[in-house]
């Protein structure tokens, strides 16, 4: 994700103080207030700031961290998760993947599979898989969220509803010990729900850092998942909820029997 020098200055100011004023920025940067407003509007479109009267404020949730930075977080854990998740999907299957840096790693792990049909709302996954040995690669139509390449909104939901896939693989921004799977953007949640609703087997991939993140919107509970693939053991309450839901929890690198 690239920013012009003014936008980098704005993001630095927001990081240090949490709020900026248009007039102050214009004076500091030596530009017009209209130029500052254009920069702020672009940052809003990317999901990085929220406009206020006369300025902007920092988005407080981790969901708006720069996507390229998030892609590097816990990379080794995401790769381990992806390799395990890919073993659950046989050659010749159909699979839907949503937006997320972990689902992108799953897509990379699936490149050696053969004859897959892949449906996604993630433009990054299209680039990853376009030269793979697939039977078909389908992108859901709709509005592109510029901050991360997600295709969101009702058009994407309607497009996904036209398919019935063998597997759904979703990521998430937040996990609760009670088994709730959560996210920040209602448009993204709606797409994730559509992917789950139109799949026979449902797989969640997430690293356990998501238990430290709080998000307001529910994608599903453990009852709506067949498998959860994590990189480390979750809180005991999560295991209890999974057992009650008959959901298989797989932790990479450990013996999962019992």
């Amino acid at each position: 994700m690239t920013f012009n020098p003014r936008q980098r200055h704005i993001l630095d100011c927001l990081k240090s103080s949490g709020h900026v004023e248009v007039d102050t920025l214009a004076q500091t940067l030596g530009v017009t207030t209209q130029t500052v407003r254009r920069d702020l509007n672009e940052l809003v479109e990317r999901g990085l700031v929220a406009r206020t009267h006369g300025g902007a404020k920092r988005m407080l949730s981790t969901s708006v961290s720069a996507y390229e930075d998030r892609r590097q977080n816990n990379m080794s854990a995401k790769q381990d998760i992806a390799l395990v998740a890919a073993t659950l999907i046989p050659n010749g299957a159909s699979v839907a993947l949503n937006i997320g840096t972990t689902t992108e790693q799953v897509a990379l792990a699936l490149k050696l599979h053969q004859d897959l049909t892949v449906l996604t709302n993630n433009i990054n996954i299209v680039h990853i898989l376009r030269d793979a040995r697939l039977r078909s690669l389908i992108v859901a139509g709709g509005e592109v969220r510029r901050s991360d390449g997600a295709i969101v909104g009702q058009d994407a939901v309607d497009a996904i509803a036209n398919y019935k896939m063998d597997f759904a693989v979703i990521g998430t921004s937040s996990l609760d010990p009670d088994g709730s799977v959560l996210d920040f953007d209602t448009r993204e949640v709606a797409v994730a729900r559509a992917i789950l609703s139109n799949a026979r087997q449902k797989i969640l991939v997430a690293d356990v850092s998501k238990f430290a993140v709080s998000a307001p919107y529910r994608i599903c509970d453990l009852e709506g998942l067949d498998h959860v693939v994590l990189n480390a053991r979750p809180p005991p309450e999560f295991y209890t909820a999974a057992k009650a839901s008959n959901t298989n929890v797989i932790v990479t690198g450990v013996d999962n029997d019992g």
Side-chain angles (χ1 to χ4, degrees):
M1 185 179 297
T2 59
F3 305 101
N4 66 44
R6 296 184 307 273
Q7 291 169 333
R8 290 191 179 279
H9 175 80
I10 292 169
L11 291 172
D12 288 342
C13 291
L14 287 169
K15 186 175 181 180
S16 61
S17 65
H19 185 267
V20 292
E21 299 289 341
V22 170
D23 291 339
T24 301
L25 286 170
Q27 184 176 3
T28 301
L29 295 168
V31 296
T32 66
T33 55
Q34 288 86 351
T35 297
V36 172
R37 290 191 182 96
R38 283 198 298 270
D39 286 332
L40 289 176
N41 288 339
E42 185 168 340
L43 293 174
V44 168
E45 289 179 3
R46 296 187 185 193
L48 297 172
V49 307
R51 286 300 302 268
T52 63
H53 180 70
K57 65 180 180 179
R58 180 178 60 195
M59 297 290 283
L60 298 179
S61 74
T62 58
S63 69
V64 296
S65 301
Y67 197 70
E68 293 299 328
D69 293 339
R70 287 164 50 201
R71 186 176 276 125
Q72 301 306 315
N73 292 340
N74 302 316
M75 176 58 74
S76 177
K78 292 174 183 177
Q79 291 171 337
D80 291 343
I81 290 166
L83 289 172
V84 171
T87 66
L88 301 173
I89 300 169
N91 290 329
S94 58
V95 56
L97 301 102
N98 77 335
I99 187 66
T101 57
T102 307
T103 54
E104 288 173 20
Q105 290 301 314
V106 175
L108 281 167
L110 290 172
K111 288 193 73 170
L112 295 179
H113 280 51
Q114 297 183 26
D115 297 324
L116 295 179
T117 296
V118 176
L119 168 66
T120 186
N121 73 316
N122 185 339
I123 287 177
N124 307 301
I125 286 177
V126 173
H127 292 304
I128 290 168
L129 290 177
R130 64 182 180 180
D131 61 347
R133 294 173 292 179
L134 303 178
R135 179 178 300 162
S136 181
L137 178 59
I138 306 159
V139 59
E143 177 188 354
V144 177
R145 190 170 60 191
R146 294 173 61 191
S147 62
D148 57 7
I151 300 173
V152 294
Q154 190 59 46
D155 286 344
V157 171
D158 292 342
I160 292 164
N162 290 321
Y163 299 90
K164 187 71 173 182
M165 311 302 282
D166 296 322
F167 295 89
V169 181
I170 68 162
T172 188
S173 293
S174 171
L175 288 172
D176 193 276
D178 71 3
S180 300
V181 181
L182 307 161
D183 226 304
F184 294 96
D185 187 333
T186 55
R187 299 171 303 165
E188 184 175 331
V189 167
V191 173
R193 288 176 177 172
I195 288 173
L196 291 173
S197 296
N198 292 282
R200 298 177 179 88
Q201 289 280 311
K202 303 165 181 65
I203 304 168
L204 172 71
V205 290
D207 67 83
V208 295
S209 69
K210 302 301 172 66
F211 285 104
V213 179
S214 179
Y217 301 114
R218 187 189 306 272
I219 297 173
C220 67
D221 295 312
L222 285 172
E223 290 90 341
L225 298 168
D226 296 290
H227 305 279
V228 176
V229 185
L230 305 169
N231 64 303
R233 295 188 185 279
E237 308 97 295
F238 193 84
Y239 272 123
T240 301
K243 184 176 181 180
S245 303
N246 198 29
T247 301
N248 182 32
V249 176
I250 304 171
V251 178
T252 63
V254 304
D255 182 357
N256 289 277
D257 293 335

